[in-house]
Amino acid sequence: MNIAVLAGGTSGEREISLRSGAAVAKALQTKGHVVTLVDPLDGLDLIDTGTDVVFPALHGAGGEDGTIQMELEKRGIAYVGSDSVASALCFDKWAYRDRLRETGLPIAEGEMVNAQSFWRSPLSKKPYVLKPVDGGSTIDTFIVRDPTNADQQKIKEALARYDEMLLEELVEGIEITVGVLGDQALPPVEIIPPEGGEFDYENKYNGKTRELCPAENIGDAAQKKAKSLALRAHAVAGCKDLSRTDIIVRKDGSQVILETNTLPGMTGQSLYPKAAAAAGIGFADLVDRLVAMATV
């Protein structure tokens, strides 16, 4: 098939997207497809009229927030991944939380805050996570275990960059992420940050975070439960083809959903391809299967 891989874009996650796009394009070429890399920054008119499928390897605003998806829908072009409505829902972490809450899925306590209300919130007085309501790759995300020792200056700077941010309780436990491929939940990946560190932007991409797949520190029952939660979150949000849901497993065995990513990373360090590999699906087969799903 003729496939256009979208990579780059204008978000803060541009560099990760370019890496994802290059990996996807190379893998699809090994499957015999004719592949063109297109940077949305240069305009979607570069997509050839003979393109059979578009593979968005995009992250962040303008890439996975439903904008590109809506434009492709207007043009009647088949593409990999969730439609514009589901993409927009999962990108807006507050709207996503509301949808999960409505259906009884477990989420962390949280609220929207601004530069003034954050400091007054009871949630800011105990261990918390402060993050943009949209975006990804843990950019501008603060994981604070001791509020008395938080970097207040950096937090003030982040709050000044956004009209509002999402403040959530810090749920203690083992962090895992569960990919969904079609109607199949992939093996959970256990995320172990470096000792004394967090799974933040730096540790996500510097190779210091350990990623175990299948997960080693949660039992079979917990893994089965996590897969079920990921499949439910995928369905409730209206996702299609692929997604990756982040979950915390508490010591008491209860689980809390953090968020669902509709266009998970596809780099050599990315968690979604790692989970697929654990399920016996190589990277080239993975992206080829996703292309096939988009044409159904």
Side-chain angles (χ1 to χ4, degrees):
M1 283 192 279
N2 259 334
I3 302 171
V5 176
L6 300 185
T10 59
S11 82
E13 299 170 71
R14 174 179 171 82
E15 292 306 314
I16 304 302
S17 171
L18 288 170
R19 286 162 55 187
S20 287
V24 168
K26 183 177 179 180
L28 288 172
Q29 286 170 339
T30 68
K31 287 293 186 176
H33 299 291
V34 177
V35 182
T36 304
L37 269 169
V38 177
D39 189 337
L41 193 61
D42 299 322
L44 294 185
D45 290 335
L46 293 177
I47 296 176
D48 189 274
T49 52
T51 295
D52 297 305
V53 178
V54 168
F55 195 123
L58 297 164
H59 312 303
E64 56 183 318
D65 59 1
T67 305
I68 287 288
Q69 291 79 5
M70 185 176 293
E71 184 59 34
L72 293 172
E73 287 160 9
K74 288 178 182 176
R75 298 179 182 216
I77 301 173
Y79 62 89
V80 170
S82 299
D83 66 17
S84 58
V85 175
S87 298
L89 173 70
C90 291
F91 195 71
D92 183 334
K93 294 181 177 68
W94 187 253
Y96 169 84
R97 283 172 50 90
D98 275 349
R99 181 64 59 85
L100 264 59
R101 186 188 296 111
E102 290 170 0
T103 56
L105 286 167
I107 58 173
E109 182 184 355
E111 63 178 297
M112 294 294 290
V113 295
N114 57 32
Q116 290 74 44
S117 64
F118 167 77
W119 307 102
R120 300 192 299 267
S121 171
L123 285 177
S124 68
K125 307 299 188 289
K126 54 186 181 180
Y128 64 82
V129 178
L130 180 68
K131 56 189 175 183
V133 71
D134 51 28
S137 288
T138 59
I139 293 172
D140 283 338
T141 295
F142 299 85
I143 302 171
V144 178
R145 298 185 184 275
D146 179 7
T148 63
N149 197 34
D151 190 330
Q152 294 194 12
Q153 184 57 40
K154 285 189 176 180
I155 289 173
K156 286 177 182 177
E157 291 170 0
L159 286 165
R161 283 193 290 273
Y162 301 90
D163 291 333
E164 289 186 303
M165 295 184 74
L166 176 58
L167 174 63
E168 290 182 324
E169 65 170 321
L170 177 61
V171 182
E172 302 279 2
I174 296 172
E175 182 169 358
I176 62 172
T177 190
V178 184
V180 171
L181 175 63
D183 58 2
Q184 170 190 4
L186 300 173
V189 180
E190 181 179 344
I191 299 165
I192 305 177
E195 188 172 350
E198 304 289 356
F199 190 49
D200 53 20
Y201 184 83
E202 180 182 355
N203 287 327
K204 180 176 283 191
Y205 298 109
N206 64 10
K208 293 182 179 179
T209 294
R210 293 173 62 208
E211 296 152 355
L212 308 179
C213 190
E216 294 181 2
N217 295 302
I218 62 172
D220 291 343
Q223 293 195 43
K224 184 177 180 180
K225 180 178 180 180
K227 286 183 175 183
S228 175
L229 283 178
L231 285 168
R232 288 173 63 194
H234 180 93
V236 164
C239 297
K240 177 180 177 289
D241 299 342
L242 76 163
S243 70
R244 203 197 72 224
T245 295
D246 300 334
I247 297 170
I248 297 290
V249 182
R250 290 190 176 112
K251 286 184 179 179
D252 65 4
S254 63
Q255 299 187 13
V256 176
I257 296 172
L258 301 180
E259 58 186 72
T260 294
N261 187 331
T262 55
L263 285 177
M266 291 287 182
T267 73
Q269 295 173 283
S270 296
L271 301 172
Y272 188 83
K274 182 168 288 193
I281 306 168
F283 188 69
D285 288 334
L286 172 65
V287 294
D288 193 45
R289 189 180 297 190
L290 286 167
V291 165
M293 289 178 184
T295 60
V296 175

